[in-house]
């Protein structure tokens, strides 16, 4: 393999591949839904995997993952896609592909678990996972207090988080529980799987934050299961 080819391959794998993959998947599913009843159609949303508590209780646990790739209306898709693009290309370059992917998917799972626990409505959207990325950005801000670029990024995203949470309090159509669950999950996961400090003390801290994430998710799932069985 010649030098130029090797450099092209290296540049390719430095691209935010997972960010592009997540964007492509949610756009593809939106197109498919549009030709199958529409993305705002309740039956279509449920068919494609939106969060629907009664079905989750009956065994459709995959509905805690699939909603992060579905969107209700083109404006919902557009806003989440723009945020995912700009946030994803920054954080994927910092965390690397597989860590970024874990933070996105598992914080989205945590957000949907929180929605399952405290929100009975049908819900979908990448915002649970996006709030997980916000949580990861806030974790970086706390970890690198002397890095101006990271501090600025963290402050910008903190402002977005606060604005979204305030809107969530006054707008019942926003899944506030899902946003908070994703935010907490992203912060805990970013702390647990980062490679910031190899010292044993930091390794112990990773285990602690990873354990907190698992406890949080299990507790949310139990609450959601009990509430849904009681309500339905």
């Amino acid at each position: 393999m010649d030098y130029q080819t090797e450099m092209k391959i290296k540049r390719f794998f430095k691209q935010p591949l997972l960010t592009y993959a997540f964007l492509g998947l949610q756009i593809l599913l939106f197109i498919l839904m549009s030709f199958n009843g529409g993305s705002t159609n309740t039956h279509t949303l449920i068919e494609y995997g939106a969060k629907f508590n009664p079905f989750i209780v009956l065994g459709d646990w995959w509905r805690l993952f699939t909603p992060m790739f579905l969107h209700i209306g083109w404006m919902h898709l557009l806003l989440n896609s723009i945020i995912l693009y700009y946030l994803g290309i920054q954080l994927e370059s910092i965390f690397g592909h597989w860590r970024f992917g874990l933070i996105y998917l598992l914080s989205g799972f945590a957000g949907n678990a929180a929605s399952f626990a405290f929100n009975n409505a049908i819900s979908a959207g990448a915002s649970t996972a996006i709030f997980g990325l916000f949580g990861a950005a806030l974790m970086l801000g706390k970890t690198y207090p002397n890095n101006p670029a990271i501090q600025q990024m963290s402050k910008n995203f903190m402002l977005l988080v606060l604005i979204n949470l305030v809107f969530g309090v006054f707008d019942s159509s926003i899944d506030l529980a899902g946003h908070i669950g994703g935010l907490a999950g992203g912060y805990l996961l970013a702390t647990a799987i980062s490679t910031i400090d190899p010292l044993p003390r930091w390794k112990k801290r990773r285990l602690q934050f990873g354990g907190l994430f698992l406890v949080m998710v299990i507790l949310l799932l139990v609450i959601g299961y009990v509430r849904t069985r009681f309500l339905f």
Side-chain angles (χ1 to χ4, degrees):
M1 181 184 298
D2 60 53
Y3 176 76
Q4 288 186 344
T5 303
E6 185 177 351
M7 292 304 296
K8 287 180 181 178
I9 293 174
K10 287 182 178 180
R11 282 196 296 270
F12 173 78
F13 283 104
K14 285 183 179 180
Q15 296 295 314
L17 301 178
L18 287 181
T19 298
Y20 295 153
F22 293 146
L23 282 169
L25 181 57
Q26 65 189 36
I27 292 171
L28 173 62
L29 287 171
F30 184 84
I31 294 171
L32 292 175
M33 291 171 65
S34 298
F35 285 101
N36 189 25
S39 64
T40 59
N41 183 289
T42 300
H43 296 292
T44 302
L45 283 166
I46 294 175
E47 179 183 351
Y48 274 79
K51 192 222 72 176
F52 185 52
N53 288 9
F55 282 10
I56 294 175
V57 169
L58 292 175
D60 287 0
W61 293 99
W62 47 270
R63 290 181 182 274
L64 296 170
F65 282 102
T66 50
M68 70 184 82
F69 300 109
L70 306 177
H71 290 84
I72 305 172
W74 67 269
M75 183 60 73
H76 190 206
L77 172 69
L78 178 62
L79 290 174
N80 278 348
S81 295
I82 291 172
I83 296 172
L84 172 57
Y85 176 78
Y86 284 105
L87 186 54
I89 59 176
Q90 293 181 68
L91 293 184
E92 191 169 353
S93 66
I94 294 173
F95 286 102
H97 301 312
W98 75 267
R99 288 185 178 85
F100 171 81
L102 282 178
I103 292 170
Y104 189 84
L105 294 173
L106 293 182
S107 59
F109 174 81
N112 287 322
S115 178
F116 173 55
F118 299 109
N119 183 1
N120 297 319
I122 296 171
S123 63
S127 54
T128 53
I130 288 172
F131 266 80
L133 298 184
F134 285 147
L138 297 181
M139 172 266 180
L140 289 173
K142 183 179 179 180
T143 306
Y144 293 101
N146 299 318
N147 187 309
I150 288 180
Q151 284 300 305
Q152 187 60 48
M153 178 184 72
S154 181
K155 288 178 182 178
N156 291 340
F157 293 140
M158 172 62 83
L159 180 61
L160 282 175
V161 168
L162 292 175
I163 291 172
N164 276 276
L165 292 180
V166 169
F167 274 105
V169 171
F170 297 101
D171 188 348
S172 60
S173 67
I174 294 176
D175 191 351
L176 183 61
H179 290 181
I180 294 174
L183 181 70
Y187 186 93
L188 294 174
L189 283 165
T191 305
I193 67 175
S194 63
T195 57
I196 293 169
D197 190 338
L199 296 177
R201 183 179 178 183
W202 182 257
K203 290 182 179 179
K204 182 179 180 181
R205 191 182 178 198
R206 284 192 202 174
L207 291 175
Q208 290 173 340
F209 277 84
L212 284 173
F213 174 79
L214 289 176
V215 169
M216 179 188 78
V217 170
I218 292 171
L219 181 61
L220 290 172
L221 292 176
V222 170
I223 293 172
Y225 182 84
V226 172
R227 286 184 73 254
T228 305
R229 286 296 299 269
F230 178 77
L231 291 172
F232 293 93

